[in-house]
């Protein structure tokens, strides 16, 4: 869950401000507790009416910038900052808008990370197949999935590249320049992954659960799908609340957020939460998908892209990103804002989050 500096941590007033800017150090000794999410999550009840499962449009009109793209059927908030040109759609809101919206992020300004066009999927036609090391390989319809026991909770997660713009200003990496608003908090509802897997019967040899989206969705990779995997222990432990989500903030998912169904993994980066989920495979080995290896890795600073390719650093498991790293930023004062003594007092606002079962216990604000 998002920790607002002025609300959750309690540092919100600088009694003797001076001209300059205020820097929030990264939260120390851990981040957001997610080891036992059920203790912290508030369960809510809301569902679309029967037979009303349609992709959710978040605004009334299609942005003119999308009219000549494969996503011309999706209505998007024009205030979102596009980070990779017009298409594919990768965006974040202005940080001010994100923070001022409050604890639960309005879906229309939730950050988006797309690697290509958004699949146009009908609820009644979509299925999720479970195969591999299971006793009873099964294909589930969406209606069968929503008929299973559901769980609903608020969750904050970021793109792993949140604030990468600042890193790229020091040394340019392969990733594009996310600002400080590539994270959001939504209320997600769905079926526990463990419920689905138990229904299929898990083979004791299974060590990983591999996910992928639709085939031929993307130009990269052998089959054009986006895929990744998590350890079977994480998937089967109900304390982690890994779910197949079909609702966000009380309504069906928007196309950009994975309609009709996606994986939600508390404590993990967004890059592991496969959208438009189509296939689940239990395996003795982790996913071999192109994006599992060539996305969401942090290599040593001295390793260039060419060296990483030549020496195959991408397949080294030491450099994978799963758990959310500690992260924090200031919302106010804003960039280049000047604070004077004459103002008397000033409320400092910002955010801090993390994952992996570690909670925020302290933040430090320095004036200089």
């Amino acid at each position: 869950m998002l920790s607002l500096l002025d609300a959750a941590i309690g540092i919100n007033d600088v009694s003797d401000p001076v001209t300059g800017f205020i820097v929030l150090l990264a939260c120390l000794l851990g981040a957001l507790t997610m080891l036992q999410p059920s203790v912290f999550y508030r369960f809510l009840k809301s569902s679309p009416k029967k037979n009303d499962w349609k992709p959710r449009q978040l605004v009334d009109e299609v942005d003119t910038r999308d009219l000549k793209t494969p996503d011309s059927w999706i209505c998007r908030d024009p205030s979102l900052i596009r980070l990779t040109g017009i298409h594919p759609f990768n965006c974040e809101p202005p940080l001010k808008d994100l923070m001022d919206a409050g604890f639960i992020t309005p879906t229309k300004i939730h950050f988006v990370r797309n690697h290509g066009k958004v699949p146009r999927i009908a609820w009644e036609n979509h299925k999720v197949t479970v195969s591999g090391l299971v006793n009873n390989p099964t294909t589930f319809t969406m209606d069968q999935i929503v008929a299973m026991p559901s769980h609903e909770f608020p969750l904050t997660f970021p793109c792993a590249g949140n604030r990468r713009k600042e890193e790229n200003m020091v040394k340019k990496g392969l990733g594009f320049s996310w600002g400080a608003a590539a994270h959001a908090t939504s209320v997600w509802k769905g079926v526990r992954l463990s419920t689905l897997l138990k229904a299929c019967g898990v083979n004791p040899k299974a060590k990983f659960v591999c996910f992928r989206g639709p085939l031929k969705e993307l130009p990269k990779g052998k089959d054009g799908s986006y895929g990744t995997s998590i350890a079977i222990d994480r998937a089967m432990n109900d304390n982690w609340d890994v779910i197949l989500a079909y609702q966000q903030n009380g309504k069906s998912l928007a196309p950009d957020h994975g309609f009709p169904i996606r994986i939600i993994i508390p404590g993990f980066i967004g890059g592991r939460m496969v959208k438009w989920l189509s296939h689940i495979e239990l395996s003795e080995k982790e996913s071999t998908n192109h994006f599992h290896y060539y996305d969401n890795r942090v290599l040593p600073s001295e390793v260039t892209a060419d060296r990483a390719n030549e020496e195959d650093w991408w397949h080294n498991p030491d450099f994978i990103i799963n758990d959310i790293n500690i992260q924090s930023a200031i919302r106010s004062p804003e960039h280049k804002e000047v604070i004077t003594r004459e103002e008397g007092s000033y409320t400092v606002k910002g955010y801090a989050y993390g994952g992996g079962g570690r909670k925020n216990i302290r933040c430090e604000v320095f004036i200089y």
Side-chain angles (χ1 to χ4, degrees):
M1 285 173 262
L2 188 65
S3 296
L4 301 183
L5 182 61
D6 59 329
I9 301 171
I11 305 173
N12 63 8
D13 186 31
V14 179
S15 60
D16 185 24
V18 297
T19 302
F21 70 94
I22 302 174
V23 177
L24 173 65
L25 293 184
C27 287
L28 304 179
L29 302 178
L32 182 63
T33 296
M34 291 183 182
L35 187 57
Q36 293 180 326
S38 58
V39 176
F40 302 98
Y41 295 156
R42 178 166 53 95
F43 288 79
L44 307 174
K45 295 182 179 180
S46 57
S47 295
K49 296 179 181 178
K50 189 175 182 180
N51 301 322
D52 193 28
W53 293 99
K54 298 177 181 179
R56 181 182 178 189
Q57 295 289 0
L58 302 177
V59 294
D60 294 331
E61 297 181 352
V62 174
D63 192 311
T64 56
R65 290 170 289 184
D66 290 319
L67 292 176
K68 295 183 179 180
T69 75
D71 295 343
S72 59
W73 57 283
I74 304 174
C75 300
R76 293 162 169 159
D77 191 317
S79 72
L80 293 169
I81 302 168
R82 301 192 180 211
L83 302 169
T84 55
I86 295 175
H87 184 80
F89 188 57
N90 293 290
C91 70
E92 63 183 313
L95 181 59
K96 178 181 182 296
D97 294 353
L98 176 66
M99 297 293 297
D100 291 354
F103 183 76
I104 300 299
T105 306
T107 309
K108 68 178 182 178
I109 62 169
H110 192 292
F111 78 93
V112 176
R113 174 67 172 108
N114 290 341
H115 291 77
K117 68 179 182 180
V118 175
R120 196 164 190 170
I121 300 171
W123 176 275
E124 59 272 17
N125 297 332
H126 190 67
K127 297 177 176 65
V128 177
T129 297
V130 181
S131 66
L133 294 176
V134 292
N135 300 329
N136 302 297
T138 306
T139 297
F140 297 90
T141 67
M142 289 303 304
D143 286 341
Q144 288 173 325
I145 291 173
V146 298
M148 297 178 182
S150 64
H151 296 268
E152 188 168 19
F153 48 81
L155 177 71
T156 297
F157 69 83
C159 176
N162 189 36
R163 295 187 65 193
R164 188 187 290 133
K165 178 180 179 180
E166 297 158 70
E167 295 180 351
N168 283 341
M169 292 172 69
V170 177
K171 182 179 180 180
K172 183 70 175 69
L174 294 177
F176 59 85
S177 294
W178 288 102
H183 61 93
T185 302
S186 290
V187 178
W188 298 95
K189 181 178 181 178
V191 176
R192 278 189 174 131
L193 174 60
S194 62
T195 299
L196 228 66
L197 299 185
K198 288 174 183 176
C200 298
V202 177
N203 188 312
K205 293 182 180 179
K207 295 182 179 179
F208 293 93
V209 183
C210 305
F211 315 108
R212 69 160 173 81
L215 297 172
K216 299 181 180 179
E217 170 197 355
L218 303 170
K220 294 182 179 180
K222 293 181 180 180
D223 61 9
S225 71
Y226 184 94
T228 188
S229 59
I230 64 173
I232 187 72
D233 292 345
R234 186 80 166 235
M236 298 302 293
N237 186 339
D238 287 347
N239 283 331
W240 285 107
D241 280 341
V242 180
I243 64 171
L244 283 68
Y246 47 77
Q247 275 192 0
Q248 180 183 10
N249 291 337
K251 296 183 179 180
S252 58
L253 302 182
D256 280 320
H257 298 300
F259 181 87
I261 195 164
R262 68 176 296 168
I263 287 288
I264 290 293
I265 311 171
F268 267 30
I269 60 167
R272 304 296 170 206
M273 304 188 200
V274 175
K275 299 188 286 189
W276 316 295
L277 180 68
S278 300
H279 193 264
I280 300 172
E281 180 183 6
L282 273 63
S283 173
E284 292 185 80
K285 297 181 179 180
E286 61 184 305
S287 172
T288 59
N289 190 275
H290 172 88
F291 293 94
H292 180 69
Y293 288 104
Y294 294 97
D295 258 20
N296 301 312
R297 303 265 164 167
V298 174
L299 304 180
S301 58
E302 68 272 14
V303 178
T304 63
D306 289 340
R307 181 182 171 188
N309 291 328
E310 292 170 2
E311 301 177 6
D312 195 23
W313 283 73
W314 303 109
H315 289 81
N316 187 326
D318 293 341
F319 304 112
I320 191 171
I321 309 173
N322 283 324
D323 289 324
I324 300 169
N325 292 325
I326 298 168
Q327 185 61 277
S328 59
I330 285 286
R331 175 260 181 261
S332 56
E334 297 184 65
H335 184 55
K336 293 186 178 181
E337 180 179 349
V338 176
I339 306 166
T340 64
R341 292 180 182 274
E342 286 72 22
E343 294 179 57
S345 65
Y346 189 94
T347 299
V348 179
K349 296 182 180 180
Y351 68 79
Y353 63 74
R358 298 175 297 271
K359 64 181 179 180
N360 294 333
I361 63 170
R362 189 173 91 221
C363 276
E364 297 180 358
V365 179
F366 286 83
I367 304 172
Y368 61 94

